Amino acid sequence: MHRLRSAVCAAILMAGATPVHAEDAADAAREQFSARLAVEQRLQDIGWRLVSGNARFCEGARPAIGLQLHDMASYSNPAAVRRLFGLSGDFAVLTSAHGSPAGEADLPPNTEIAAIDGQDPNAWPAKPNGDWRRVVRAHDLIDAQLAENGVVELTLSNGEKIRFIANYACPTRFELGGNGKRALADGSRVILERGFPGLGYADDELAAALAHELAHNLLRHREWLEREGRGQRNIRLTEREADRLMPWLLANAGYQPDAAMRFMERWGPRHSGGIFRKRTHDGWDERVEVIATEVAKVNNSRDQWGAADWRTHFAREVGSE
């Protein structure tokens, strides 16, 4: 969310002394924001399919609405960004995931938010710039309201009130951040760095990469590794188990489970390191074979509605308790 601020502000600060140069810089900033927003929107759309499609099988599923906000205070020049987007306040919609309750409300990016269940987040104290804590607080407030009664009400800057009724989703957020090339999971989030090669792949193959990281969170691998140790053998076990869960998660999100194989076949030869690969991972060709075996299990285990019950049919290798 707040990771977009550097791209937006870099172009704003290029503005020269003349109005023409300032207008050109503003146009450049809008283009940069639109490009980053398209990537963020794609990430949220795919992520929502994964967490909502698997909600009935994951532990700790919670009410969610698929809304992502941004706060002008998190940018390095809040006043300039407000002017750029024509905002009077600080809080606005960043993305609404397709198919989510927020997506169904059809709120375009930069729709201003005046209140969350009666609380005005714009009035919360913030540092002059670069303060991302308020947007975290806003999302936590939405989550708390949803956990309490399954609904949350947002007030727009024009006074319109929108009441969202949540759907259930697995407990993971998706974020775009950092300038590296990694995908990682921290227990509650899946984070894609902006140079991650899978962002150039088809949606179902990118979904496979996200499913791998989501699997780490759902299977509580971080907790297990903290308890059992992060030796090569243990990390390798968790990586293999995340590979195996990928096709199950894809199937329940409406993707073909063999997209997990196609992702690995595309990504592996270029990025797995060959003979210099990390010993915490199997070779990419071995990983494809493991996934292929699991794809067959998924296809043989689907019920009449196409759901793949991995809570019942997926064999754990790593103890979570």
Side-chain angles (χ1 to χ4, degrees), residues 48 51 62-67 100-102 143 146 150 165-170:
W48 178 260
V51 294
R62 64 190 184 193
I65 59 173
L67 179 68
S100 71
D143 287 346
L146 293 175
I165 300 175
N167 292 342
Y168 274 84
C170 299

Side-chain angles (χ1 to χ4, degrees), residues 86-110:
L87 303 177
S88 59
D90 284 336
F91 273 84
V93 172
L94 181 60
T95 63
S96 300
H98 181 73
S100 71
E104 292 173 1
D106 196 25
L107 296 176
N110 292 319

Side-chain angles (χ1 to χ4, degrees), residues 183 212-213 216 231-243 263-264 267 271-287:
H212 176 92
E213 301 305 328
H216 283 309
Q232 288 185 357
R233 178 183 177 277
N234 283 351
I235 295 176
R236 196 163 178 169
L237 282 173
T238 61
E239 292 298 328
R240 185 181 300 136
E241 191 170 65
D243 282 347
F263 165 78
M264 195 62 65
W267 179 87
H271 305 287
S272 68
I275 61 173
F276 301 108
R277 66 176 172 81
K278 296 179 181 178
R279 298 305 166 184
T280 52
H281 295 67
D282 294 325
W284 72 266
D285 50 346
E286 296 174 279
R287 298 176 75 176

